[in-house]
Amino acid sequence: MDEKNRENLSAYRLESAEEHLRASKLLLDGGFRKDSIGRSYYAMFAAARALLALDEVDFSKHAGVISYFQKEYIKTGRFDKEYSKYLTEAFRIRNHSDYADFYVASRQDAEEQYERAEKFCRAIREYIEKQHENQD
């Protein structure tokens, strides 16, 4: 894949992340906490995949994306460790929210996931923008 296609795919995935964030907020405001948690996770997941697009890497499983992000972006110091925690915890909570019987999502949990997703996506967008500036 050439550089322009990588950048386009990355931009598309960032836009998807922003769309998931907007949906998360709407769901949160509407009282749909479990669905809001899911959209917050998918916002972070799409943002992480935006980075992977630039590296020409992708995985069929969520765990592969998370593992690659941790190895290439957390352990190398490009992102603070808190972002690893945000992504892995969001994945765990989303799994409980989607698959665990009788799971009750609190408003506090949903709000926290939304705020973390917002911060995570912003950090990735800023990182990608900085990389583009350094290439020019």
Side-chain angles (χ1 to χ4, degrees):
M1 184 182 303
D2 68 18
E3 184 178 342
K4 189 65 177 165
N5 285 335
R6 285 192 312 267
E7 290 175 1
N8 287 340
L9 180 56
S10 178
Y12 173 80
R13 288 177 177 174
L14 275 177
E15 182 54 41
S16 291
E18 296 297 325
E19 188 174 311
H20 290 308
L21 265 179
R22 288 189 300 274
S24 176
K25 180 66 169 147
L26 289 170
L27 289 163
L28 180 63
D29 291 345
F32 301 98
R33 297 183 301 258
K34 286 171 50 173
D35 291 328
S36 175
I37 286 170
R39 291 301 97 195
S40 291
Y41 166 70
Y42 278 108
M44 287 187 254
F45 181 72
R49 288 186 72 221
L51 290 172
L52 274 62
L54 296 175
D55 294 348
E56 290 189 80
V57 175
D58 205 7
F59 298 90
S60 61
K61 297 193 182 271
H62 289 237
V65 171
I66 294 167
S67 177
Y68 183 87
F69 175 74
Q70 290 171 333
K71 179 181 170 200
E72 298 297 326
Y73 290 92
I74 300 298
K75 288 185 180 178
T76 60
R78 293 192 244 180
F79 285 89
D80 191 271
K81 289 179 184 177
E82 75 180 308
Y83 294 103
S84 174
K85 178 183 174 190
Y86 290 173
L87 185 58
T88 56
E89 190 163 317
F91 180 62
R92 183 187 61 76
I93 291 172
R94 193 271 317 185
N95 280 337
H96 286 303
S97 180
D98 284 355
Y99 303 114
D101 291 329
F102 306 114
Y103 177 78
V104 177
S106 71
R107 173 113 183 138
Q108 181 180 353
D109 285 345
E111 286 174 348
E112 181 179 56
Q113 290 308 305
Y114 174 76
E115 290 166 6
R116 287 178 171 188
E118 197 174 37
K119 186 175 179 181
F120 187 94
C121 292
R122 182 175 47 252
I124 287 183
R125 180 176 292 283
E126 289 171 359
Y127 175 87
I128 290 173
E129 287 171 355
K130 193 174 194 179
Q131 296 306 305
H132 289 312
E133 288 173 10
N134 290 340
Q135 289 176 351
D136 295 337

